[in-house]
Structure formats: structure tokens, C-alpha cells
Amino acid sequence: MEIAYTKVSLQRLLEPHRRRGRHIAFVPTMGALHDGHLALVDHARQLADVVVCSIFVNPTQFNDPKDLEKYPRPLEHDTKLLQQAHCDILFHPTVDEMYEANEQWYLDLGHLERVLEGLHRPGHFQGVTQILHKLFDAVQPHIACFGQKDFQQYKVVEHMVNQLELPLTLELCPTVRESGGLAMSSRNVRLSATGREQAQQLHKTLQQTKADLHRKTLDSLCTDAIKALEGSPGIEVEYFAIFRADTFTAADESARNEQLVALAAIWVDGVRLIDNLLL
Ligand code: PAF
């Protein structure tokens, strides 16, 4: 695996591949890699000739400076994992390489920025689109792979790609879970052993919601899910909602024959966890 620390050196590494007309797949990450990321690299490998992975802890998408500071950065271990996963190129730029001082960015994300993650993490998706626009520009991939765990992020990226007519295809890859059902996340390392067990209730509740889909109204599915989560030790619920997967708008009974998705954010051990399930 080759490593590029600057956009110029990334271009130098990619140029021979582009000249040969090779297809490039891109997996953007913030590092602290786990099996979920490695599954994205595997998926990318199957779709393209060259796999580029980025590790960049993007400051503009953190609302809480403490969260940014505490974000794990096990670079040596990450590099080994990417090598083992047969990633071809790792792009690992510094903040100064990616951002000018006092840079401004705004992309109209419509309602996507006013619901769920957008509502609870103001400015987060502006930061995500700001860095992804730069990364897409640097890598110029044919395909970019994202995990379903961050379903709203995927919808936001899809919106940006459509709005700016970016010439790439997006791939949504299934969430990878630990044996107890907890969705893999770089934040899971901050959970205590007890917290990790308590957090398993989130996937169980999403599964129960799916099982009850045709037995209850959408409203009572949400109310019951919140009750189940709040009644479970160690969990505080931030939101639980059922949305239309396509338009990412709140679903009512008239949406029953559309693809629905249940989404939730909870706090366990002071760690914010999100997950979702297509119903
Ligand atoms: O999902 C992530 O890890 C980040 O939001 C991303 C897409 C790498 C942008 O910084």
C-alpha cells in the first residue's frame, strides 16, 4: 500500500492508474478502523481496480471540541489493517493540507439538515459535505462507498452528488455488527464492558420495531420503542423515528407501502450511538 500525505503526491500515485483507464473506488474514513470500514474496503475492491482509503479526522464536522479531541487516532494500527485489507492507496492529509484559514462553505441541504442528526448536530452535515467535496476532488473516484449505519449521512452525500452533478456513483453498504448486534463504530471503544452490553438494546429494539411493523401504527411503534429503550438500564434516548428511506421525510400511515427506515440516537456511558434498520 502506498501512502500520500498531500494532494500532489496523491495525484502522482493515481496518475498511472488513470492513464490506464482503471476504475477507482474510494472509502473515506476518519480512522479508528473496525470491521465495518474493512467491509467497505472489501466492497470497494470488488467494484474497482484501485482502492483509495482516506483517514482524516475532519474538524469541521464536530460540534463538540471535546469530541474532536477525544476522537481515537490509532494510525499505525489503521495502516496495518488497510494493508491487510489490500487497500492500494492511503490518503492521510493534515488539516492544513485540506483547509485554508477561515474557509467558508455552505451547501443547501434542504430538510436533510433540519431533521434527526441534522437537528441534533447543527452544522455537522455542512462539515461532512465540505470535506467530502474536497476529498472527491482530490481522489476523483468513480465510486465512493459508505456504510448504512450513517444512513442520513448517505442521503446527504447523495443530495450533494446530485445537486453538484459530481461524476461518481455512491454505494451504500450494509452495517457490520458485533456479535450482540451493536453496530460497529469507532466510538464503541469508549464504552465500558457494561455499556457495550447495555447498548445492544438498540439493535434489539430496532428489530422489534421491524417485527411489529404490521401489528401497530407507526406512532405506537415509535412510542413503544422509546419506552423499551428508556426502560433499559443505562440508556438515554435522543430520538427514535420512522422515515421514508427515499425522501428521508417522517413517515405517516400513508407511507406504509414505501421503503421505511427506523432510526435512533441514544446515549450510553456518555457516548452517543446511532443506528437504523430498513423495515
Ligand atoms: O463517516 C465518516 O467517517 C465521516 O463522516 C466521513 C464520511 C469520512 C467524512 O469525514
Side-chain angles (χ1 to χ4, degrees):
M1 182 176 74
E2 294 173 291
I3 305 181
Y5 297 95
T6 64
K7 288 178 260 179
V8 170
S9 60
L10 178 66
Q11 291 324 316
R12 217 174 286 136
L13 294 179
L14 283 171
E15 218 280 313
H17 297 295
R18 288 201 222 286
R19 233 185 306 121
R20 291 194 186 112
R22 289 189 172 152
H23 266 239
I24 298 166
F26 178 42
V27 180
T29 82
M30 297 207 298
L33 303 180
H34 48 68
D35 285 353
H37 295 112
L38 300 179
L40 294 179
V41 173
D42 266 0
H43 193 82
R45 191 46 328 118
Q46 284 162 32
L47 297 174
D49 309 303
V50 182
V51 177
V52 180
C53 188
S54 63
I55 294 182
F56 181 69
V57 182
N58 174 36
T60 66
Q61 71 186 75
F62 284 82
N63 330 69
D64 176 359
K66 277 203 199 102
D67 200 19
L68 171 62
E69 203 182 296
K70 280 192 283 186
Y71 205 85
R73 291 165 170 88
L75 186 63
E76 222 174 284
H77 187 242
D78 284 351
T79 309
K80 260 191 217 140
L81 290 179
L82 288 178
Q83 257 156 355
Q84 284 161 9
H86 305 292
C87 170
D88 297 292
I89 299 173
L90 164 61
F91 182 43
H92 179 51
T94 59
V95 172
D96 287 348
E97 177 67 12
M98 296 312 286
Y99 288 105
E100 315 252 307
N102 302 320
E103 210 180 289
Q104 299 296 315
W105 166 267
Y106 177 75
L107 185 71
D108 184 0
L109 297 171
H111 73 282
L112 288 169
E113 212 174 10
R114 294 190 291 270
V115 295
L116 309 187
E117 290 303 290
L119 187 68
H120 288 88
R121 302 184 68 187
H124 170 67
F125 288 132
Q126 289 300 331
V128 169
T129 51
Q130 182 178 24
I131 192 59
L132 284 176
H133 190 254
K134 286 167 181 284
L135 290 169
F136 289 164
D137 199 43
V139 179
Q140 292 175 37
H142 299 90
I143 299 159
C145 301
F146 293 87
Q148 194 199 309
K149 185 183 79 75
D150 298 298
F151 187 72
Q152 189 171 356
Q153 169 171 273
Y154 177 82
K155 300 303 287 184
V156 163
V157 182
E158 183 182 61
H159 177 91
M160 174 172 77
V161 166
N162 291 337
Q163 189 171 332
L164 304 182
E165 298 183 16
L166 303 180
L168 75 151
T169 305
L170 297 178
E171 279 287 317
L172 181 64
C173 307
T175 303
V176 178
R177 299 182 181 281
E178 296 182 1
S179 55
L182 177 63
M184 293 219 175
S185 162
S186 306
R187 291 199 159 91
N188 293 356
V189 295
R190 282 163 46 198
L191 292 169
S192 64
T194 311
R196 198 169 271 246
E197 223 164 89
Q198 291 170 333
Q200 292 176 1
Q201 184 61 39
L202 179 51
H203 182 53
K204 287 197 189 112
T205 304
L206 287 164
Q207 282 181 309
Q208 191 60 51
T209 302
K210 184 170 174 147
D212 290 342
L213 183 63
H214 300 294
R215 287 198 282 264
K216 295 180 180 174
T217 63
L218 298 185
D219 273 350
S220 43
L221 285 170
C222 290
T223 314
D224 291 355
I226 291 168
K227 250 190 240 158
L229 286 166
E230 293 279 15
S232 184
I235 295 183
E236 207 181 294
V237 181
E238 197 167 278
Y239 64 75
F240 187 101
I242 298 178
F243 269 44
R244 292 171 165 92
D246 184 24
T247 56
F248 210 76
T249 49
D252 55 25
E253 293 301 323
S254 71
R256 281 240 172 223
N257 50 10
E258 293 177 40
Q259 175 67 68
L260 301 178
V261 56
L263 309 107
I266 62 167
W267 288 86
V268 178
D269 266 353
V271 182
R272 187 175 187 276
L273 301 171
I274 60 169
D275 199 356
N276 65 79
L277 200 65
L278 291 169
L279 300 182

